[in-house]
Amino acid sequence: ALSGGVTTIVLFPAPLYRLFRKEGIRFFEEELSNTPVRFYYMVPLITDEKLSTIVPDHETFVEFLLNKKVLGVLGFSKSLSELDFKNVINQYISDSILSEKPIGGFAPPDEKAIDVFSSLGLRFFTYIRSEKSAMKVLRNGGYLVLSLLDHWKLKEITETITKNKISTDGIVLSTGLLDMRELSRGKHLSNLLSYIVELGIDPVEAIRFLTVNPARMLGIENKIGSIAPGKLADVVVLKDLTKFEVYATIVDGNIVFSDNEFHISSKIISYPKYLTETISYLRGLNSELLQVNTSSGNNVKVRAIKVNNENIDTEEEITLLSVVNGKVMCNITDDILYLSLVDLSLIHISE
């Protein structure tokens, strides 16, 4: 994170809590406390019944986090009437149970939800679902969170924004979960900035998508997001405004990373066993499960996913693979391999 210019991380702890419970969250807190990186939690305070599949004991989960640095995420609940929803929100505000104000609201790309948050004057954010909903969010003062996961719509969105001269004050860039190797190298956000600039966004304007805009969205712009008297002394020095390579990262006025070197002490993390054995695949994994069978002859035409290391987009490639005893064979020479995916989503675990 620090080598990529990241000084503050906002965590959505529900998946952590679901997998690792309180002990796991405490472990991550302790490890993060040994680094200069700041972190906040985003906790869903109002949501629909789906949350029970994310966090079985939601009330205990929220209570556990309320004495920490929590940013409230108000998920629009379709089970509540609009009036009841407003009353609940106002109650949260009056009780001041959150460590930061104003409350940042999460609205799904739902017309009614956007209208309610907008009418209450709450900050709210959402993710891309369609160009229409994205434009409504921005026009109603909301925030649109973009990541490389959305690259298939980024071009369309940016073209609409520039063509219609829509304010970009509501655009926020996020790491998403695209490529952990890129993230660990500190290159992920640099690549995202470069791509946004390639689509026609001014470089200085694009930097706001990672600094002042997210700070305002979260209601902590009085602390971070820009350089001003009274704010935290966090500064990122870039080598250029094309590749956005980070030369130095400063946290609390201290240089923690510069010229490809860290200036902080580090240690090897020893993970508890319960953190490394969280998924149980009841059917068991074996080579037969990963095999593709066919009744075709000696060869079969397949659709492969071609990865281009110079581009974030993948491509479809039609190719021939040999068949042996009814099983489609990989082609090691041409680097065509099987890819088996275990998907851990926020809602459920699927095979």
Side-chain angles (χ1 to χ4, degrees), residues 34-328:
N34 295 322
T35 74
V37 177
R38 296 184 188 85
F39 67 97
Y40 290 88
Y41 288 119
M42 301 197 78
V43 178
L45 301 175
I46 306 173
T47 185
D48 57 26
E49 62 280 359
K50 287 184 179 179
L51 185 64
S52 62
T53 63
I54 304 174
V55 183
D57 49 347
H58 173 233
E59 292 183 1
T60 303
F61 168 62
V62 173
E63 183 181 354
F64 171 67
L65 294 170
L66 280 181
N67 63 338
K68 306 180 186 302
K69 293 182 288 186
V70 174
L71 305 171
V73 185
L74 298 174
F76 186 76
S77 176
K78 294 182 179 180
S79 62
L80 291 174
S81 68
E82 186 171 334
L83 178 61
D84 288 338
F85 185 71
K86 290 180 179 180
N87 289 337
V88 173
I89 291 177
N90 288 329
Q91 187 64 48
Y92 274 116
I93 294 174
S94 62
D95 288 348
S96 302
I97 64 172
L98 301 175
S99 59
E100 300 293 340
K101 288 187 179 180
I103 296 173
F106 171 75
D110 177 281
E111 298 285 325
K112 183 179 178 182
I114 293 173
D115 291 337
V116 171
F117 280 120
S118 181
S119 66
L120 288 171
L122 284 175
R123 303 176 187 217
F124 66 95
F125 66 91
T126 188
Y127 301 92
I128 291 182
R129 289 299 181 273
S130 68
E131 181 186 354
K132 180 182 177 182
S133 65
M135 293 306 106
K136 178 162 185 176
V137 167
L138 294 176
R139 289 192 174 105
N140 281 272
Y143 292 85
L144 191 65
V145 181
L146 308 175
S147 74
L148 279 178
L149 291 170
D150 307 306
H151 67 83
W152 54 288
K153 285 188 177 179
L154 280 179
K155 185 176 182 180
E156 180 183 358
I157 295 293
T158 52
E159 285 179 351
T160 302
I161 288 173
T162 53
K163 180 181 178 180
N164 297 286
K165 298 182 179 179
I166 298 173
S167 172
T168 58
D169 288 347
I171 300 292
V172 171
L173 298 184
S174 166
T175 57
L177 298 171
L178 184 64
D179 190 334
M180 299 310 293
R181 293 171 303 172
E182 290 281 303
L183 196 58
S184 64
R185 295 191 203 108
K187 298 291 186 182
H188 184 91
L189 293 175
S190 297
N191 292 346
L192 184 52
L193 280 175
S194 297
Y195 185 59
I196 289 290
V197 170
E198 285 178 15
L199 295 177
I201 300 295
D202 179 79
V204 176
E205 189 176 11
I207 290 175
R208 291 170 59 87
F209 300 171
L210 280 172
T211 53
V212 64
N213 288 7
R216 286 175 178 168
M217 181 188 82
L218 298 168
I220 51 177
E221 71 272 25
N222 62 322
K223 296 181 178 181
I224 62 174
S226 59
I227 302 173
K231 293 191 176 184
L232 298 174
D234 295 356
V235 180
V236 178
V237 182
L238 299 175
K239 294 180 181 179
D240 57 73
L241 292 179
T242 52
K243 293 185 178 179
F244 297 95
E245 292 188 42
V246 174
Y247 173 74
T249 303
I250 302 170
V251 180
D252 280 337
N254 301 310
I255 300 175
V256 295
F257 173 83
S258 67
D259 200 19
N260 295 321
E261 290 187 9
F262 287 99
H263 307 295
I264 55 175
S265 58
S266 61
K267 67 173 185 176
I268 298 176
I269 299 176
S270 178
Y271 292 97
K273 189 175 181 180
Y274 68 85
L275 289 180
T276 59
E277 298 181 357
T278 58
I279 296 178
S280 177
Y281 190 75
L282 299 179
R283 291 170 56 189
L285 287 176
N286 56 63
S287 59
E288 292 297 319
L289 286 175
L290 307 181
Q291 191 69 53
V292 178
N293 301 313
T294 180
S295 58
S296 299
N298 297 325
N299 296 287
V300 64
K301 186 183 293 186
V302 301
R303 297 166 61 206
I305 302 173
K306 182 179 180 181
V307 179
N308 184 348
N309 291 329
E310 302 301 322
N311 195 312
I312 65 170
D313 291 324
T314 56
E315 302 174 13
E316 179 186 59
E317 182 174 283
I318 307 298
T319 187
L320 283 176
L321 290 180
S322 59
V323 177
V324 178
N325 297 327
K327 301 182 185 299
V328 180

Side-chain angles (χ1 to χ4, degrees), residues 10-50:
V10 180
L11 301 172
F12 183 57
L16 288 177
Y17 186 86
R18 180 188 182 194
L19 287 174
F20 311 129
R21 315 305 287 177
K22 295 178 183 179
E23 293 75 16
I25 292 184
R26 288 196 183 101
F27 174 83
F28 286 108
E29 285 179 346
E30 290 173 3
E31 294 301 329
L32 280 171
S33 67
N34 295 322
T35 74
V37 177
R38 296 184 188 85
F39 67 97
Y40 290 88
Y41 288 119
M42 301 197 78
V43 178
L45 301 175
I46 306 173
T47 185
D48 57 26
E49 62 280 359
K50 287 184 179 179

